[in-house]
Amino acid sequence: MVNTMKRSSVDREKLSPMMKDYMILKDNYEDCIVFYRLGDFYEMFFEDAITASRELELTLTGKSAGLEEKVPMCGIPHHAYSNYIDSLIEKGYKVAIAEQLEDPKTAKGIVKRDVIQVVTRGTRLDNNLDSKNNNYIANIYDFGYCKGISYTDVSTGEFYIELLEQDNDQIIREIMKRGFRELIVNDAIDRELINTLRVTYGILISITKDLYEEDDYKYIYENIEDIRLITTIKHLLSYIIDAKKGDLHHLKECEIIKRNSTLIFDNNTKRNLELVETIRTRDRQYSLLWLLDKNKTAMGSRYLKNQIENPLTNKKELERRYDFIEKISTEFIIRDDLRLALDEVYDLERLAGRISYGNLNARDMLQLKRSLNALPKINNLLKQLNYDKEIDILEEVASLLEKTINEDPPLSLKEGSIIKDGYNSELDELRSISSGSKDFILNIEKVEKERTGIKTLKVGFNKIFGYYIEISKGQKHLVKDEYGYERRQTLANCERYITKELKEKENIILGAEEKIINLEYKLFMDIREIVKRYISKIQEISKIISEVDMLQSFSIVSDENKFVRPKLTKDKDLELVECRHPVVEKVMKDKYVSNDIIMNKDTNILLITGPNMAGKSTYMRQCAITVIMAQIGCFVPCKSAKMPIFDKIFTRIGASDDLVSGESTFMIEMKEANYAISEATENSLILFDELGRGTATYDGMSLAQAILEYIHDNIKAKTMFSTHYHELTSLEKDLKNLKNVHVSAQEEAGNLTFLHKVKSGAVDKSYGINVASLAKLPKELIKRSEEILNIYENKSIKKEVFTQTSLFEDTIEEVIEIEQENEIESKVKDINPLEMTPIEALSFLYELKKEIDKK
């Protein structure tokens, strides 16, 4: 039977001293699973043990704690705790790690323990983080009339902030786009918003109103004037500092997000365009990020992802990137040397974080040394390429690490073998003593064998008895008193002895080794403190390396795929000649059919018709992806490209419905359309794929036409609008900035061939039945659908004429209807029902009904 004893039901007075200590500590971390260090294990008790045993598939046992019944307990080895923590935090738990703060050998009474850090989804600083993705923790501070959002990657030190309107939809869009997995909110926040984020989107949320009020981290916000931004930052800092309880001075000065400095789009657009992961598998492979990521460093990969999610709007900066790509592509031998040198650079951003926080080991220091050793070559190559930034190569740090850190150190800092010979004279002397004594002990075996004549004699060591002489059972009778052997342990097949001489040398060796380990640890900490002074410089180097790595990656991809340099214009001409979808082209076996996307200053809307599966969606996506590639500073998949700089992209493409929100497809369509119409400017790009399909045909057609007219007359944004409502193609006559294009297909003897070529003009036919036939629907079903279609097409139904109408004036039909209503209304007003007989009233009603039917 499972022990389900709860902490709240326990009489604390009866508990053992250790369990009382645990209870006091746990009281301060009610929302965490506490890993409580006992010797070589982390133990969990009560509800924590029950939860952990279930989630981690551990055996639930019990511990005697002064009560009649054992309390629930489970445990994990301390050296393997990281994988268990990974599993718990992925499932949405927080873990508080309680360590022994003093040596149990020297402690008087209960060993002092305390929580050294709380590990959550957003506060991790270990080596198990995904190297190619940022791990942000964010907060929302509700001021009542607006909300502050700040976020940081604790592992790299990046820190950002912005103010948003009091609009929950906008807040959710921002959170989903940034990919936050943990949020801190103040207690004034809207509970409905919290519930949506928790339940619908699975985000870990903590509520606290605490603000950081010390001066240690004031540098993060001291150059910001807006008190709302400062309050928001202090709110997030309070939580992080309380959780990590270590030095976080690698956190950088907070950067205010300027929304006009980046190309804005929401998470739906990010998903629809498959920028960083595919819709179907949610995997990086076959996304735009997968195609462009030829980076050699983890920092470069993260920077590329950040740029894809936040493309630039600064023409000067984009041209600067194009220039460098052009240069490095012509100097391909230097580029190859640069790639080889970048391959030697480890994740300097996260190394800087671990150096500051103090959770690094000697192998991390080696990674730093090897990275620094590659910098002189990188710097020299960048000078040859006329790169406009110079790297500080930190010779003094590289030299220090070269002199101090062993080439193959252990993972632990408490095992020795970290520091090189020749760095510290005291350490060298201790090593000499230890080494000489070990040689003496190795010689004892030879000497004792000769002295005693016992051939099976050998010298061994274990942590319990130290050094000992071991003799097999068959020869123990040869041991004489004169040898001075003192029996220590009897085993099934041998006897173990010690001698006075052996114990003396053991004390010298163990004493020296303990001193060596302690001295090496101290020396390592001193080296870390020296390196710590250079953290801001290491972060600057990281920033430059990240950009250089990304740009060389763009150069490689551009050369491999025949991308061209785009020409950025100040007018509104968009001319993408022979444009391709770069990912589709890369993965498809057949030759990709390129298409022109031409929207000059007289064309703002392309109305796209054509059968399903012909490539309408791909045609639209490749336009947006080309724009994004150009605005991250990459060359583009075209024969030639001329384009303006866009400020925002809005999309409604494909089956990206957010089903978990419980809203219908049509409602989501309308919300996304409203978002685009409300936020778009004349410098935006809008992509709508079959908008209005989620409702009745005439409703959908009417809405689609009204939206097209509104965009044409009021927004004037570049818009690609695909539709199956062929009636809408007549709008080209009334909307001067709208142009019809179609994706062509060829029909022969009922068989349909997709040509994937976009041509001017509209199609006059839908190929739905042909596409159904391609999908291998039953032949009798296809035949019946053709019969029904013929009936509909031959019906003498007068086609409706779609014309643009004013939003503010009555139509002719409406005027006639109003006149009819007024005529009938005046007849009713002229009669007095009180003066009419029942027969007269019935007769009047009959005549009125006849007149209405007639009209």
Side-chain angles (χ1 to χ4, degrees):
M1 184 177 172
V2 177
N3 186 347
T4 58
M5 187 191 303
K6 296 183 178 178
R7 285 173 60 240
S8 58
S9 65
V10 169
D11 182 352
R12 295 197 179 194
E13 293 302 316
K14 293 180 180 178
L15 290 172
S16 63
M18 188 234 53
M19 192 54 70
K20 281 181 181 175
D21 179 68
Y22 167 80
M23 296 289 263
I24 292 167
L25 188 146
K26 173 65 182 174
D27 287 342
N28 296 319
Y29 295 93
E30 292 281 2
D31 63 339
C32 300
I33 292 176
V34 175
F35 279 21
Y36 191 78
R37 182 72 177 268
L38 285 176
D40 289 337
F41 284 80
Y42 287 114
E43 304 289 5
M44 287 145 276
F45 304 106
F46 297 103
E47 291 94 332
D48 284 0
I50 295 165
T51 301
S53 66
R54 182 184 68 245
E55 298 289 5
L56 301 174
E57 297 181 8
L58 301 172
T59 302
L60 185 66
T61 61
K63 181 173 179 65
S64 298
L67 305 173
E68 291 180 14
E69 188 182 352
K70 289 182 177 182
V71 305
M73 180 182 86
C74 69
I76 55 170
H78 80 95
H79 58 82
Y81 78 100
S82 62
N83 289 334
Y84 292 102
I85 283 185
D86 288 349
S87 183
L88 286 173
I89 65 175
E90 279 304 311
K91 292 176 179 181
Y93 296 99
K94 299 179 183 180
V95 178
I97 301 173
E99 278 291 353
Q100 296 172 170
L101 302 182
E102 53 187 352
D103 190 337
K105 294 175 187 174
T106 58
K108 293 179 181 178
I110 296 295
V111 176
K112 188 178 179 184
R113 295 177 178 85
D114 203 356
V115 170
I116 59 163
Q117 66 165 314
V118 175
V119 184
T120 64
R121 282 180 182 174
T123 60
R124 297 179 64 185
L125 261 164
D126 52 70
N127 284 317
N128 287 16
L129 283 169
D130 181 354
S131 63
K132 294 197 171 188
N133 287 302
N134 279 103
N135 187 48
Y136 291 122
I137 181 170
N139 75 319
I140 306 174
Y141 198 93
D142 195 328
F143 292 98
Y145 58 93
C146 72
K147 288 183 173 77
I149 292 187
S150 67
Y151 57 98
T152 182
D153 184 336
V154 179
S155 69
T156 65
E158 300 158 79
F159 214 129
Y160 304 96
I161 187 158
E162 62 181 327
L163 278 181
L164 294 176
E165 294 173 8
Q166 195 76 332
D167 177 350
N168 284 354
D169 286 341
Q170 186 184 9
I171 299 290
I172 291 170
R173 278 195 296 268
E174 188 70 10
I175 289 166
M176 296 314 297
K177 182 189 172 185
R178 304 283 179 195
F180 303 145
R181 299 179 65 216
E182 181 175 5
L183 268 175
I184 320 305
V185 298
N186 66 329
D187 52 1
I189 202 88
D190 177 6
R191 291 301 188 269
E192 188 180 331
L193 175 61
I194 290 178
N195 191 55
T196 301
L197 293 171
R198 267 184 181 152
V199 177
T200 306
Y201 299 107
I203 296 171
L204 177 64
I205 296 179
S206 303
I207 304 173
T208 174
K209 59 183 178 182
D210 295 341
L211 301 179
Y212 170 74
E213 297 295 359
E214 306 298 324
D215 288 332
D216 270 7
Y217 297 97
K218 191 176 181 181
Y219 72 91
I220 292 173
Y221 53 81
E222 66 183 349
N223 292 324
I224 294 174
E225 294 179 359
D226 191 324
I227 191 66
R228 297 170 299 180
L229 298 179
I230 294 171
T231 301
T232 304
I233 294 168
K234 284 182 172 182
H235 182 238
L236 182 56
L237 275 176
S238 173
Y239 180 86
I240 295 169
I241 292 166
D242 189 51
K244 299 316 292 176
K245 301 181 187 299
D247 189 344
L248 297 172
H249 279 89
H250 67 286
L251 293 178
K252 300 173 189 175
E253 187 177 332
C254 192
E255 186 180 324
I256 300 172
I257 295 170
K258 294 172 183 160
R259 295 186 77 78
N260 61 352
S261 67
T262 59
L263 171 62
I264 296 169
F265 49 79
D266 66 2
N267 193 55
N268 280 323
T269 295
K270 191 168 95 173
R271 289 183 64 228
N272 286 336
L273 299 178
E274 299 185 309
L275 297 181
V276 298
E277 63 182 22
T278 57
I279 293 173
R280 186 171 297 173
T281 64
R282 307 214 53 182
D283 191 55
R284 186 187 184 97
Q285 190 171 20
Y286 305 133
S287 67
L288 178 64
L289 177 60
W290 164 79
L291 178 82
L292 297 181
D293 191 359
K294 302 289 184 186
N295 287 281
K296 287 293 185 178
T297 69
M299 300 174 290
S301 290
R302 286 197 302 272
Y303 186 66
L304 169 61
K305 183 171 184 277
N306 178 278
Q307 292 295 288
I308 289 174
E309 292 173 337
N310 303 279
L312 306 178
T313 56
N314 185 319
K315 184 174 184 287
K316 185 178 177 183
E317 175 59 23
L318 292 173
E319 296 287 5
R320 173 186 161 272
R321 291 183 180 184
Y322 299 154
D323 289 343
F324 185 74
I325 294 169
E326 216 161 53
K327 177 70 175 173
I328 198 173
S329 291
T330 57
E331 300 284 357
F332 51 86
I333 294 173
I334 298 176
R335 182 181 69 188
D336 289 347
D337 290 342
L338 179 62
R339 283 173 62 79
L340 286 171
L342 287 170
D343 218 8
E344 296 294 315
V345 179
Y346 289 82
D347 197 338
L348 288 173
E349 273 185 323
R350 285 185 170 159
L351 280 173
R354 292 205 292 278
I355 291 165
S356 174
Y357 188 64
N359 66 329
L360 81 164
N361 56 36
R363 293 186 188 181
D364 291 329
M365 282 294 198
L366 268 188
Q367 290 185 358
L368 177 61
K369 183 190 83 171
R370 289 166 186 163
S371 301
L372 295 179
N373 286 343
L375 294 185
K377 185 172 184 182
I378 292 171
N379 206 33
N380 183 46
L381 292 168
L382 292 178
K383 283 178 182 175
Q384 293 179 55
L385 293 166
N386 300 323
Y387 184 65
D388 56 359
K389 295 173 187 173
E390 192 166 338
I391 293 172
D392 188 338
I393 58 175
L394 299 185
E395 283 180 281
E396 59 276 32
V397 180
S399 174
L400 172 68
L401 297 178
E402 185 63 52
K403 286 187 296 186
T404 56
I405 307 297
N406 265 330
E407 290 303 320
D408 188 23
L411 277 171
S412 169
L413 297 177
K414 297 291 181 76
E415 291 180 27
S417 301
I418 298 172
I419 306 297
K420 280 183 176 178
D421 291 335
Y423 176 65
N424 181 275
S425 57
E426 184 186 351
L427 181 61
D428 291 345
E429 189 177 337
L430 286 167
R431 281 176 173 165
S432 177
I433 293 168
S434 175
S435 176
S437 299
K438 278 185 176 177
D439 289 343
F440 176 81
I441 282 181
L442 288 171
N443 195 45
I444 280 180
E445 189 174 297
K446 181 182 174 185
V447 170
E448 288 299 306
K449 273 184 179 178
E450 290 173 359
R451 183 164 78 98
T452 64
I454 302 173
K455 292 179 181 178
T456 59
L457 182 150
K458 61 182 180 182
V459 175
F461 175 84
N462 66 33
K463 287 184 178 179
I464 299 169
F465 295 108
Y467 286 97
Y468 53 81
I469 292 171
E470 184 177 288
I471 296 171
S472 68
K473 276 273 169 69
Q475 293 195 314
K476 75 172 185 176
H477 65 279
L478 298 175
V479 176
K480 299 176 181 177
D481 291 344
E482 62 200 59
Y483 298 159
Y485 286 7
E486 182 184 332
R487 184 183 284 115
R488 266 297 162 94
Q489 190 180 21
T490 300
L491 299 176
N493 59 349
C494 66
E495 295 281 349
R496 288 176 177 173
Y497 305 86
I498 60 167
T499 67
K500 186 179 177 184
E501 187 181 31
L502 200 57
K503 281 291 121 183
E504 284 173 358
K505 283 298 177 183
E506 180 187 298
N507 290 334
I508 292 170
I509 293 169
L510 297 183
E513 287 188 348
E514 188 175 348
K515 286 178 182 175
I516 286 167
I517 287 170
N518 291 336
L519 181 55
E520 285 202 59
Y521 182 76
K522 180 184 178 300
L523 290 171
F524 183 82
M525 290 297 111
D526 292 343
I527 294 162
R528 195 197 82 194
E529 287 305 310
I530 294 169
V531 175
K532 215 166 156 180
R533 299 174 204 155
Y534 294 86
I535 281 177
S536 60
K537 289 188 176 181
I538 292 170
Q539 288 176 328
E540 274 301 311
I541 293 165
S542 305
K543 196 173 177 182
I544 295 170
I545 294 287
S546 300
E547 185 192 55
V548 168
D549 197 15
M550 180 184 76
L551 294 178
Q552 70 78 22
S553 179
F554 287 169
S555 169
I556 293 285
V557 174
S558 297
D559 284 358
E560 285 179 355
N561 299 284
K562 295 183 172 58
F563 295 167
V564 298
R565 176 173 181 157
K567 182 181 179 183
L568 302 177
T569 65
K570 289 186 178 177
D571 57 33
K572 287 191 68 182
D573 281 0
L574 176 67
E575 294 180 9
L576 308 179
V577 178
E578 294 186 20
C579 180
R580 295 112 56 200
H581 190 300
V583 180
V584 175
E585 181 185 37
K586 193 76 176 174
V587 299
M588 72 183 295
K589 294 173 184 174
D590 302 325
K591 189 177 185 302
Y592 188 88
V593 178
S594 60
N595 278 298
D596 296 345
I597 301 174
I598 310 294
M599 283 192 271
N600 57 31
K601 58 178 182 281
D602 296 322
T603 304
N604 289 334
I605 301 174
L606 288 184
L607 185 62
I608 309 161
T609 48
N612 281 324
M613 293 174 58
K616 298 193 298 295
S617 298
T618 302
Y619 180 64
M620 296 166 76
R621 281 191 178 100
Q622 72 193 41
C623 176
I625 284 173
T626 301
V627 166
I628 287 168
M629 287 174 68
Q631 289 189 220
I632 61 175
C634 185
F635 286 8
V636 296
C638 302
K639 186 176 182 181
S640 68
K642 176 183 173 186
M643 53 170 279
I645 290 177
F646 290 93
D647 62 355
K648 299 170 187 174
I649 295 179
F650 304 91
T651 67
R652 173 64 196 175
I653 303 177
S656 64
D657 304 335
D658 186 3
L659 300 177
V660 290
S661 69
E663 291 178 334
S664 69
T665 299
F666 183 64
M667 174 57 85
I668 294 166
E669 269 194 354
M670 291 302 101
K671 277 191 169 184
E672 289 180 13
N674 178 57
Y675 172 55
I677 287 166
S678 306
E679 300 288 331
T681 72
E682 64 178 348
N683 298 316
S684 301
L685 176 64
I686 300 174
L687 309 179
F688 282 158
D689 188 19
E690 297 180 33
L691 199 67
R693 67 190 163 173
T695 187
T697 302
Y698 290 118
D699 280 357
M701 206 185 310
S702 305
L703 280 164
Q705 178 175 340
I707 287 168
L708 279 168
E709 290 171 0
Y710 188 88
I711 292 171
H712 182 275
D713 295 344
N714 298 288
I715 302 174
K716 300 178 173 59
K718 295 293 186 193
T719 303
M720 301 178 81
F721 195 110
S722 76
T723 185
H724 277 109
Y725 300 135
H726 298 125
E727 293 85 350
L728 294 179
T729 57
S730 63
L731 288 172
E732 190 178 51
K733 299 194 296 288
D734 300 308
L735 306 181
K736 62 175 183 169
N737 299 127
L738 181 146
K739 181 183 175 185
N740 284 322
V741 295
H742 68 278
V743 186
S744 56
Q746 189 173 316
E747 187 183 6
E748 288 181 10
N751 295 321
L752 190 66
T753 304
F754 299 119
L755 302 178
H756 302 295
K757 200 70 185 170
V758 177
K759 298 179 180 178
S760 293
V763 292
D764 57 358
K765 177 182 177 181
S766 175
Y767 293 92
I769 293 174
N770 303 75
V771 174
S773 180
L774 286 174
K776 304 267 192 299
L777 264 67
K779 287 181 180 176
E780 59 269 27
L781 186 153
I782 299 294
K783 187 178 178 183
R784 175 60 182 150
S785 61
E786 286 172 344
E787 290 169 0
I788 296 168
L789 179 64
N790 286 331
I791 293 167
Y792 279 126
E793 286 180 340
N794 293 328
K795 274 186 178 180
S796 56
I797 300 172
K798 185 180 177 184
K799 279 203 168 186
E800 295 187 40
V801 179
F802 281 74
T803 57
Q804 187 179 11
T805 57
S806 166
L807 296 172
F808 307 105
E809 294 177 4
D810 294 329
T811 63
I812 294 169
E813 289 83 4
E814 286 170 337
V815 170
I816 292 169
E817 194 176 315
I818 290 165
E819 286 175 355
Q820 287 174 350
E821 286 174 0
N822 290 345
E823 191 179 323
I824 292 164
E825 191 180 78
S826 63
K827 282 192 176 184
V828 173
K829 282 179 180 176
D830 287 344
I831 66 158
N832 184 352
L834 295 176
E835 295 177 354
M836 298 174 76
T837 65
I839 294 296
E840 287 173 338
L842 193 59
S843 175
F844 176 79
L845 186 59
Y846 176 76
E847 290 296 327
L848 207 59
K849 174 74 169 63
K850 199 161 79 171
E851 192 172 333
I852 289 170
D853 288 344
K854 181 182 173 185
K855 288 179 179 178

